[in-house]
mmCIF file of all heavy atoms in Angstrom:
data_model
loop_
_atom_site.group_PDB
_atom_site.id
_atom_site.type_symbol
_atom_site.label_atom_id
_atom_site.label_comp_id
_atom_site.label_asym_id
_atom_site.label_seq_id
_atom_site.Cartn_x
_atom_site.Cartn_y
_atom_site.Cartn_z
ATOM 1 N N THR A 457 88.596 144.448 73.534
ATOM 2 C CA THR A 457 88.614 144.989 74.897
ATOM 3 C C THR A 457 87.371 145.791 75.227
ATOM 4 O O THR A 457 87.216 146.257 76.347
ATOM 5 C CB THR A 457 89.837 145.898 75.086
ATOM 6 O OG1 THR A 457 89.801 146.928 74.101
ATOM 7 C CG2 THR A 457 91.122 145.099 74.949
ATOM 8 N N LYS A 458 86.473 145.989 74.248
ATOM 9 C CA LYS A 458 85.182 146.693 74.430
ATOM 10 C C LYS A 458 85.371 148.139 74.877
ATOM 11 O O LYS A 458 84.502 148.727 75.510
ATOM 12 C CB LYS A 458 84.315 145.959 75.443
ATOM 13 C CG LYS A 458 84.061 144.509 75.091
ATOM 14 C CD LYS A 458 83.269 143.807 76.176
ATOM 15 C CE LYS A 458 83.135 142.327 75.882
ATOM 16 N NZ LYS A 458 82.407 141.605 76.933
ATOM 17 N N VAL A 461 82.783 150.685 72.816
ATOM 18 C CA VAL A 461 81.389 150.785 73.271
ATOM 19 C C VAL A 461 81.298 151.653 74.510
ATOM 20 O O VAL A 461 80.442 152.544 74.608
ATOM 21 C CB VAL A 461 80.820 149.368 73.545
ATOM 22 C CG1 VAL A 461 79.434 149.468 74.154
ATOM 23 C CG2 VAL A 461 80.766 148.572 72.252
ATOM 24 N N ARG A 462 82.162 151.415 75.475
ATOM 25 C CA ARG A 462 82.119 152.206 76.704
ATOM 26 C C ARG A 462 82.439 153.671 76.439
ATOM 27 O O ARG A 462 81.867 154.574 77.046
ATOM 28 C CB ARG A 462 83.090 151.612 77.729
ATOM 29 C CG ARG A 462 82.640 150.271 78.273
ATOM 30 C CD ARG A 462 83.476 149.880 79.482
ATOM 31 N NE ARG A 462 84.839 149.534 79.106
ATOM 32 C CZ ARG A 462 85.244 148.287 78.870
ATOM 33 N NH1 ARG A 462 84.381 147.300 78.935
ATOM 34 N NH2 ARG A 462 86.500 148.034 78.550
ATOM 35 N N LYS A 465 79.384 155.293 74.705
ATOM 36 C CA LYS A 465 78.294 155.440 75.677
ATOM 37 C C LYS A 465 78.568 156.593 76.634
ATOM 38 O O LYS A 465 77.686 157.396 76.939
ATOM 39 C CB LYS A 465 78.118 154.137 76.447
ATOM 40 C CG LYS A 465 76.933 154.150 77.400
ATOM 41 C CD LYS A 465 76.740 152.779 78.046
ATOM 42 C CE LYS A 465 75.527 152.799 78.969
ATOM 43 N NZ LYS A 465 75.314 151.479 79.622
ATOM 44 N N ALA A 477 73.985 149.574 71.675
ATOM 45 C CA ALA A 477 74.611 148.748 70.644
ATOM 46 C C ALA A 477 74.152 147.310 70.846
ATOM 47 O O ALA A 477 74.066 146.830 71.979
ATOM 48 C CB ALA A 477 76.129 148.842 70.721
ATOM 49 N N TYR A 484 75.118 144.108 63.136
ATOM 50 C CA TYR A 484 75.471 144.974 64.258
ATOM 51 C C TYR A 484 74.737 146.301 64.114
ATOM 52 O O TYR A 484 74.820 146.957 63.069
ATOM 53 C CB TYR A 484 76.978 145.214 64.300
ATOM 54 C CG TYR A 484 77.447 145.856 65.578
ATOM 55 C CD1 TYR A 484 77.668 145.093 66.719
ATOM 56 C CD2 TYR A 484 77.650 147.223 65.638
ATOM 57 C CE1 TYR A 484 78.097 145.674 67.896
ATOM 58 C CE2 TYR A 484 78.080 147.816 66.812
ATOM 59 C CZ TYR A 484 78.299 147.031 67.949
ATOM 60 O OH TYR A 484 78.710 147.607 69.106
ATOM 61 N N LEU A 581 84.277 148.669 68.257
ATOM 62 C CA LEU A 581 82.909 148.569 68.768
ATOM 63 C C LEU A 581 82.313 147.212 68.481
ATOM 64 O O LEU A 581 81.479 146.721 69.218
ATOM 65 C CB LEU A 581 82.030 149.638 68.119
ATOM 66 C CG LEU A 581 82.223 151.077 68.587
ATOM 67 C CD1 LEU A 581 81.426 151.995 67.694
ATOM 68 C CD2 LEU A 581 81.816 151.227 70.015
ATOM 69 N N HIS A 584 83.190 142.439 69.687
ATOM 70 C CA HIS A 584 82.275 141.677 70.525
ATOM 71 C C HIS A 584 81.289 142.661 71.112
ATOM 72 O O HIS A 584 81.640 143.774 71.448
ATOM 73 C CB HIS A 584 83.021 140.976 71.671
ATOM 74 C CG HIS A 584 83.957 139.920 71.176
ATOM 75 N ND1 HIS A 584 83.531 138.709 70.722
ATOM 76 C CD2 HIS A 584 85.314 139.906 71.072
ATOM 77 C CE1 HIS A 584 84.576 137.984 70.360
ATOM 78 N NE2 HIS A 584 85.658 138.683 70.569
ATOM 79 N N THR A 585 80.059 142.251 71.268
ATOM 80 C CA THR A 585 79.073 143.116 71.921
ATOM 81 C C THR A 585 79.070 142.844 73.396
ATOM 82 O O THR A 585 79.355 141.747 73.841
ATOM 83 C CB THR A 585 77.666 142.864 71.358
ATOM 84 O OG1 THR A 585 77.378 141.477 71.513
ATOM 85 C CG2 THR A 585 77.580 143.240 69.903
ATOM 86 N N GLU A 586 78.704 143.875 74.149
ATOM 87 C CA GLU A 586 78.634 143.712 75.600
ATOM 88 C C GLU A 586 77.348 143.006 75.966
ATOM 89 O O GLU A 586 76.326 143.176 75.343
ATOM 90 C CB GLU A 586 78.670 145.074 76.289
ATOM 91 C CG GLU A 586 80.015 145.724 76.189
ATOM 92 C CD GLU A 586 80.033 146.999 76.969
ATOM 93 O OE1 GLU A 586 79.047 147.720 76.927
ATOM 94 O OE2 GLU A 586 81.040 147.231 77.618
ATOM 95 N N ASN A 587 77.395 142.236 77.045
ATOM 96 C CA ASN A 587 76.189 141.561 77.509
ATOM 97 C C ASN A 587 75.274 142.559 78.160
ATOM 98 O O ASN A 587 75.709 143.397 78.875
ATOM 99 C CB ASN A 587 76.550 140.465 78.527
ATOM 100 C CG ASN A 587 77.329 139.354 77.847
ATOM 101 O OD1 ASN A 587 77.092 139.104 76.680
ATOM 102 N ND2 ASN A 587 78.233 138.708 78.582
#
Side-chain angles (χ1 to χ4, degrees):
T457 57
K458 304 176 186 178
V461 174
R462 290 192 289 265
K465 185 175 182 180
Y484 192 82
L581 286 172
H584 294 285
T585 56
E586 289 185 320
N587 293 328

